[in-house]
Amino acid sequence: MNQATDDQSIYAVPLWRRLLAANRGRWLGMAVSLAFTCALLMPDPGPMPAMRFLAFDTYQTKFPRERKSADAVIVAIDEKSLARVGQWPWPRDVVAQLVTKIAARNPAAIGVDILFTEPDRLSPDRLAAEFRTRDPLVAGRLEKMQPFDAVLAAALARTPVVLGVAGVPEQSAGGYARTPAKLTGPDITLKRYAGELHSLPALDNAAAGRGLLNSSPDRGIVHRVELAAVAGTDPQPLFGLTIETLRVAAGEPLFTLVSGLQGLNAIALGDVRIPVQPDGSFWVHYSHHDPDRFISAVDVLDGTDDASKIEKSIVLVGVTGLGLVDRVATPLGKDMVGIEVHAQVLENIFERSMLARPAWMRILEAALFALIAAIVIFSVPRMPPKRSPVIPLACGALLAAGGLAGYLGTRVLFDPLTPIWGMNIVYGLMVSATLAAIDMERRDLAKRLAIEREAAARVAGELNAANRIQTRMLPDPAVVLANENRIEIFSHMRPAREVGGDLYDFFLLADDRIFLLAGDVAGKGLPAAMFMTVSKALAKSSTLRQASGLASLMTVINEEISRDNPEELFVTLIALIVDLESGEIEYCNAGHEPPLLVRGDGHIDVLDD
């Protein structure tokens, strides 16, 4: 009982390992691959954004865009400007002066990354209300002055200016103007905001356009900015500050939205086609921070700036003073002011260096993963474990090379890391399943070997017993010739195996004679031993019954051995009858080696006749 229990504990395999090893893990590998393929088909950023963005960030970190275009200029309300003019927010008449002086330098258009959502607190009409009771004379003079919001609105009306709009999660009143857009293709689904935050109506209506300021941070890093989105209850899209400013500069009346089966894929402005994601976002192709993009606002106000940098360029106006604006993280690993990100979008468009990630790219990634997973599933179980890592290493290298080639060659974003990660999962699963199957096969082999050893031990014991029985069946000279001293017999038999087909026998006959028999059965092992035992018994019984001569005796023995012999075995025999009184020998050789007669003088006769 204890032995059986020990055997079961040695060869028992947990159910989960049997399931893992079933068909060497191929069914399980196919199930995991199918699930991972479906995950790869999900829209960006997908279920594993860390891998996908790590690949794209690595491209830009190692191979950033080189800035070649100077067509986007930032007029920054920076630390220098704040120290010269005063703290922010500035009076709106100062902002109007800034807009007017920028316009005097003949820019293509001006985009303002600032929201003027409340009336100017420093406007004369607001100050007049406060001085009316304390100093009516001052209040009267202030009331005669033009409100600063009106001053700014007039400056905006004279200039091709685009004001910023923010999409917000809170609902807001609608009715704001939208830039016309034409859709070519199936309906699209853009990112939606519950409401939108505009500047004061007087300012908003005076502007030549309104542009969305929102970006789409992914895990805290701005990879994309929104070039089109829906806000509030109006189904017409709002367009990004960058491309709205570009539209105003180009004098185009509308945008064209190009869509396909996967949704929105491009925004066209004249002959410029801008690739976007189905949700309206645009992948920014970053270059490093460049101070040459910036002009201090106070230099423009003082007229000390280089006017040629603004002429015919698109100017973006924003606050960059420390503590007044949020800095955003970029794939290059350095924080950057938000308005510089908008400038980089314009540079991408001017330089035709725009990153694209078509919707079919997810299908390509899923298809390549499925192909590699199939190679892993059906090849790894057939290979030695030491050689199998060649498959994931080679496939991973090809995917990585393909992704880098797509980025450098065509600016297409291909994600190799997520398929590589999934491939490693499948590979690890297949290696584990293969090792589990090998372990189970080893256990089964050990179990069979144990059974065979037990059977072999049992057979060996039986053969040993047969050997003892066979040797003890042979006559003992000391017993047979106990009272006979006229003859000496020495015999020895050693089978080639545990038992054999050699035989001999001798016994006394009547008339003072002795019968001797030696033979060999065809074959070896247990069958020969069994046939030897039968032949020996038949020969002795026939000899004791037969009274005639040796010739007739051998004939009878031959007939007895031939009867009931389906395997048609045969025996070679030599039989001798020695007359103990006279020494006369009668012998018969039935196919055996001839006996040798050694005489007292040493002469040897071969009895071969």
Side-chain angles (χ1 to χ4, degrees):
M1 178 66 72
N2 292 338
Q3 181 64 37
T5 303
D6 292 342
D7 291 343
Q8 291 176 1
S9 65
I10 292 173
Y11 302 112
V13 178
L15 178 60
W16 67 269
R17 294 194 66 179
R18 291 189 176 275
L19 294 176
L20 178 65
N23 197 26
R24 296 221 165 185
R26 289 188 177 92
W27 292 113
L28 187 58
M30 286 189 284
V32 172
S33 299
L34 178 60
F36 205 89
T37 301
C38 294
L40 286 174
L41 292 172
M42 297 177 65
D44 289 331
M48 292 154 287
M51 287 290 177
R52 183 157 288 173
F53 290 127
L54 176 60
F56 302 157
D57 291 352
T58 301
Y59 296 153
Q60 300 217 51
T61 301
K62 300 299 182 182
F63 305 96
R65 178 178 61 86
E66 294 184 9
R67 181 173 180 252
K68 300 177 181 178
S69 170
D71 293 327
V73 178
I74 300 171
V75 174
I77 301 173
D78 53 9
E79 293 291 329
K80 177 182 175 182
S81 302
L82 295 174
R84 167 74 168 74
V85 178
Q87 67 180 9
W88 185 260
W90 289 346
R92 301 275 164 84
D93 66 330
V94 177
V95 178
Q97 292 179 33
L98 179 62
V99 171
T100 301
K101 293 204 171 187
I102 294 173
R105 287 154 175 77
N106 193 29
I110 303 172
V112 180
D113 187 13
I114 304 171
L115 289 172
F116 304 101
T117 58
E118 298 178 352
D120 188 358
R121 293 180 298 172
L122 301 178
S123 182
D125 57 327
R126 299 289 296 272
L127 294 176
E130 296 182 8
F131 279 94
R132 187 170 291 114
T133 57
R134 290 182 291 178
D135 193 336
L137 181 61
V138 173
R141 291 179 179 177
L142 290 172
E143 288 176 345
K144 294 179 182 179
M145 296 176 65
Q146 187 178 13
F148 289 168
D149 287 326
V151 173
L152 179 58
L156 296 177
R158 296 190 299 268
T159 309
V161 175
V162 176
L163 288 182
V165 180
V168 293
E170 299 83 13
Q171 292 185 353
S172 61
Y176 298 103
R178 296 284 198 271
T179 300
K182 179 178 67 175
L183 178 64
T184 61
D187 290 339
I188 58 177
T189 302
L190 301 176
K191 185 172 182 178
R192 175 176 291 276
Y193 292 96
E196 51 190 297
L197 188 62
H198 284 247
S199 296
L200 295 173
L203 302 177
D204 195 73
N205 293 329
R210 286 143 293 278
L212 192 65
L213 301 177
N214 296 66
S215 59
S216 300
D218 299 303
R219 301 175 67 86
I221 298 177
V222 176
H223 301 94
R224 301 174 291 171
V225 298
E226 292 168 14
L227 296 189
V230 176
T233 58
D234 195 331
Q236 293 298 316
L238 276 169
F239 293 94
L241 177 70
T242 50
I243 61 172
E244 178 66 11
T245 306
L246 184 62
R247 182 193 67 81
V248 171
E252 294 288 340
L254 54 77
F255 290 100
T256 300
L257 303 176
V258 183
S259 64
L261 296 177
Q262 300 293 330
L264 182 65
N265 55 59
I267 299 175
L269 182 62
D271 61 348
V272 178
R273 184 184 175 100
I274 305 168
V276 294
Q277 297 301 105
D279 64 353
S281 61
F282 172 83
W283 290 90
V284 184
H285 191 192
Y286 281 98
S287 65
H288 288 294
H289 167 72
D290 187 353
D292 193 52
R293 290 191 180 101
F294 294 83
I295 299 175
S296 179
V298 70
D299 291 340
V300 176
L301 290 171
D302 293 342
T304 60
D305 63 304
D306 183 0
S308 63
K309 292 182 66 174
I310 293 179
E311 185 178 4
K312 296 183 180 180
S313 298
I314 291 181
V315 179
L316 299 177
V317 180
V319 180
T320 64
L322 187 64
L324 296 178
V325 65
D326 290 334
R327 301 179 70 86
V328 298
T330 69
L332 300 185
K334 297 180 180 179
D335 290 346
M336 191 175 291
V337 293
I339 195 168
E340 189 173 8
V341 175
H342 291 299
Q344 299 225 28
V345 173
L346 286 171
E347 291 172 359
N348 291 174
I349 297 172
F350 290 140
E351 297 173 5
R352 300 297 175 96
S353 181
M354 295 171 282
L355 297 178
R357 180 164 170 78
W360 53 262
M361 188 59 66
R362 302 195 308 273
I363 300 176
L364 176 62
E365 292 166 358
L368 289 176
F369 165 76
L371 175 62
I372 294 173
I375 294 174
V376 171
I377 290 171
F378 291 100
S379 298
V380 169
R382 301 172 180 267
M383 300 178 65
K386 292 183 179 180
R387 294 176 56 189
S388 63
V390 173
I391 295 177
L393 289 176
C395 294
L398 290 175
L399 287 174
L404 185 60
Y407 170 76
L408 295 177
T410 61
R411 305 301 180 201
V412 173
L413 293 175
F414 171 80
D415 170 25
L417 292 187
T418 307
I420 288 174
W421 188 59
M423 174 191 65
N424 288 332
I425 292 176
V426 176
Y427 172 73
L429 180 64
M430 297 309 301
V431 170
S432 300
T434 302
L435 294 176
I438 292 174
D439 181 66
M440 287 186 60
E441 292 171 359
R442 180 185 61 80
R443 289 170 178 263
D444 291 341
L445 178 60
K447 186 176 181 179
R448 289 197 299 270
L449 287 176
I451 294 173
E452 291 175 1
R453 288 193 189 102
E454 183 180 352
R458 185 165 51 250
V459 171
E462 293 175 354
L463 290 175
N464 288 333
N467 178 270
R468 292 192 302 269
I469 294 173
Q470 183 181 34
T471 54
R472 291 175 183 177
M473 288 176 59
L474 300 175
D476 185 0
V479 176
V480 177
L481 304 176
N483 300 317
E484 181 60 61
N485 55 12
R486 289 174 294 176
I487 187 173
E488 292 180 356
I489 295 178
F490 173 78
S491 60
H492 175 72
M493 184 179 71
R494 185 175 67 181
R497 299 179 183 175
E498 288 81 358
V499 292
D502 298 326
L503 65 95
Y504 71 89
D505 197 4
F506 54 89
F507 48 87
L508 293 172
L509 299 176
D511 302 329
D512 211 14
R513 294 178 303 164
I514 187 171
F515 180 83
L516 299 98
L517 178 71
D520 186 14
V521 176
K524 297 183 182 301
L526 190 58
M530 294 177 64
F531 198 73
M532 179 275 291
T533 303
V534 173
S535 301
K536 179 178 177 296
L538 291 174
K540 186 171 184 178
S541 62
S542 299
T543 302
L544 294 176
R545 292 197 312 269
Q546 184 71 21
S548 57
L550 188 57
S552 61
L553 175 61
M554 294 297 283
T555 301
V556 172
I557 293 174
N558 183 61
E559 292 175 353
E560 292 291 335
I561 292 176
S562 300
R563 185 184 299 118
D564 298 329
N565 183 10
E567 297 297 325
E568 298 184 353
L569 296 177
F570 66 90
V571 186
T572 62
L573 288 176
I574 183 169
L576 301 92
I577 298 178
V578 179
D579 189 328
L580 296 179
E581 182 62 30
S582 64
E584 181 181 350
I585 299 175
E586 181 183 5
Y587 72 94
C588 179
N589 190 343
H592 202 66
E593 293 294 326
L596 301 178
L597 176 62
V598 183
R599 300 186 181 276
D601 58 1
H603 181 72
I604 300 176
D605 292 327
V606 179
L607 307 182
D608 55 356
D609 53 359

